[in-house]
Amino acid sequence: MRRVMAWLLLMAGLLLFGSGCATVHPPRGVPNVERTVLATGYCPCRECCGWRRNWLGRPVYASGPLAGQRKDVGMTASGTRAHKGTIAADTSRYPFGTIFYIPGYGYGRVEDRGGDIKGDHIDLFFESHREALAWGRRYRQVQIWFQ
Ligand SMILES: [Zn+2]
């Protein structure tokens, strides 16, 4: 009985872990649009995401209208945990849920936005600052699926 419980817990853990890191796939039956966009890279670090630590050592917004307020590092504007495949975009143009295929990066989904991400400029999430820097700024012909 105990072994069954352990197995169930393991499976539940795998399911939870799996859904958090699910790879993004293009939706079926939705026509895609081809467009050239500026793609930059970012990671959860304070340099990329504009945060600093307050006197308690807690992350707070460094500037903008939320300056000084608590920042949940690694959480996106749509409430998901940022992971490889998370894209920040101008959501008036590319709403949350829009799927992109970016050559050299793969599939991604719009789950975040940023103060200086406007128009045909998307920001691609990377796990480390080194990877984000290595990507740099690239103009790419991308495939887009609006949901
Ligand atoms: Zn960074």
Side-chain angles (χ1 to χ4, degrees):
M1 187 60 198
R2 187 165 290 181
R3 194 178 295 176
V4 171
M5 286 297 290
W7 184 81
L8 281 174
L9 281 172
L10 178 72
M11 292 314 283
L14 282 175
L15 275 173
L16 280 172
F17 181 76
S19 64
C21 299
T23 46
V24 178
H25 295 289
R28 286 171 194 269
V30 179
N32 62 308
V33 182
E34 206 169 75
R35 203 170 278 176
T36 301
V37 301
L38 169 63
T40 52
Y42 78 108
C43 86
C45 85
R46 39 178 122 179
E47 199 179 317
C48 289
C49 294
W51 58 274
R52 61 180 176 80
R53 291 194 188 277
N54 67 7
W55 60 277
L56 284 170
R58 292 191 180 130
V60 295
Y61 288 92
S63 60
L66 295 174
Q69 290 188 37
R70 283 294 299 277
K71 162 116 175 99
D72 231 341
V73 174
M75 296 303 286
T76 66
S78 64
T80 59
R81 182 154 284 281
H83 56 92
K84 183 83 192 284
T86 294
I87 294 178
D90 181 344
T91 49
S92 68
R93 198 175 187 94
Y94 303 109
F96 289 141
T98 303
I99 301 217
F100 280 79
Y101 178 77
I102 305 103
Y105 183 77
Y107 288 101
R109 185 192 290 122
V110 177
E111 291 175 356
D112 210 355
R113 53 184 160 222
D116 52 353
I117 312 299
K118 294 274 179 273
D120 285 328
H121 171 198
I122 58 173
D123 213 6
L124 310 175
F125 181 89
F126 289 90
E127 302 289 346
S128 75
H129 195 66
R130 190 177 49 79
E131 288 173 281
L133 276 185
W135 176 272
R137 297 168 64 84
R138 303 181 190 183
Y139 283 91
R140 279 283 181 272
Q141 192 163 22
V142 300
Q143 310 292 326
I144 306 165
W145 291 264
F146 289 98
Q147 300 282 51

